[in-house]
Amino acid sequence: MPEGRGGRLRCDRLFPGSVISVRVNGKQVELPRPTPLLDYVGQLGVDPRAIAVEVNGEILQRDGYADCTLIEGDTVEIVRMVGGGTGP
């Protein structure tokens, strides 16, 4: 069986109903359970079309957001796209 971080089995980290801890943009965040990325982004009130996301050092393609579930120990960076600037 593949092992997860810290020598624990990955299935141990997916146990339903367990509180998990993830690091989002450098801050420790507790979630009530493994949480789909899009649900977490929705809780933040952020439009998923206006962000870039990196999970554990891997930049996700936007069409992969729905397949990503945040689990214990994940490190997440969420960057919002900001428009503006000066014209030509």
Side-chain angles (χ1 to χ4, degrees), residues 21-37:
S21 180
V22 298
R23 183 168 294 279
V24 179
N25 293 348
K27 292 184 178 180
Q28 207 64 28
V29 175
E30 286 191 351
L31 299 172
R33 68 189 71 75
T35 303
L37 174 64

Side-chain angles (χ1 to χ4, degrees), residues 3 9 14 20-21 45 53 55 58 61 79-80 86:
E3 289 190 5
L9 296 177
L14 295 175
I20 66 164
S21 180
V53 180
V55 177
E58 181 181 338
Q61 297 296 317
V79 179
R80 292 184 193 206
T86 58

Side-chain angles (χ1 to χ4, degrees), residues 7 9 12 16-17 19 31-34 36-38 42 47 51 54-55 68 70 79 83-84:
L9 296 177
D12 292 343
V19 173
L31 299 172
R33 68 189 71 75
L37 174 64
L38 288 175
D47 182 347
I51 59 173
E54 177 186 280
V55 177
C68 179
L70 302 178
V79 179

